[in-house]
Amino acid sequence: MDYGVFLLSCLKEEYDLTGDHEAAVRHGLQRTGGLITAAAVILAVVMDAMVVRRLLVPAIRRLTGRAAWWAPAPLRRFHERFGVSRGELPAPSKGRGVGRRTSTPAER
């Protein structure tokens, strides 16, 4: 249901009962405000999880390429000193391009 229609129906019901426009608005907002706000929060979380994190972030990272990994020198030094990682990674070999996949002996 459209939440605007939900709010207006509550306003109309109260106005039909009391005939007081201001009281109908107050009552309608009191009755529906929490529900509409909760629905908006849930929708925002779903949109963030489904659209932003699963679609936009990977797409933007793909488009920006190596620039996505740039960091200012102070931040880079801070990360080198205190950064969290999953473990030691081997240093990249100088003869191969960054991001280029190497084949395993089984694939050769």
Side-chain angles (χ1 to χ4, degrees):
M1 174 186 255
D2 183 6
Y3 294 105
V5 172
F6 182 63
L7 172 62
L8 289 175
S9 67
C10 287
L11 295 175
K12 173 79 168 105
E13 288 174 9
E14 188 64 21
Y15 182 76
D16 288 345
L17 289 174
T18 65
D20 184 1
H21 174 71
E22 290 181 14
V25 171
R26 270 194 311 274
H27 180 77
L29 289 175
Q30 287 173 348
R31 260 183 80 192
T32 62
L35 176 66
I36 293 172
T37 302
V41 168
I42 290 169
L43 181 62
V45 168
V46 168
M47 290 298 292
D48 179 60
M50 295 186 77
V51 174
V52 174
R53 298 190 191 274
R54 293 185 146 255
L55 181 66
L56 293 178
V57 170
I60 290 169
R61 296 294 292 217
R62 176 76 185 248
L63 289 173
T64 56
R66 288 184 55 118
W69 301 106
W70 177 86
L75 182 60
R76 213 172 28 249
R77 286 191 300 273
F78 179 84
H79 179 71
E80 288 169 358
R81 186 168 182 186
F82 301 108
V84 178
S85 67
R86 291 189 289 185
E88 293 296 318
L89 296 175
S93 60
K94 299 209 182 226
R96 301 184 187 246
V98 174
R100 191 178 283 172
R101 186 175 179 270
T102 59
S103 60
T104 63
E107 293 175 330
R108 289 187 197 143

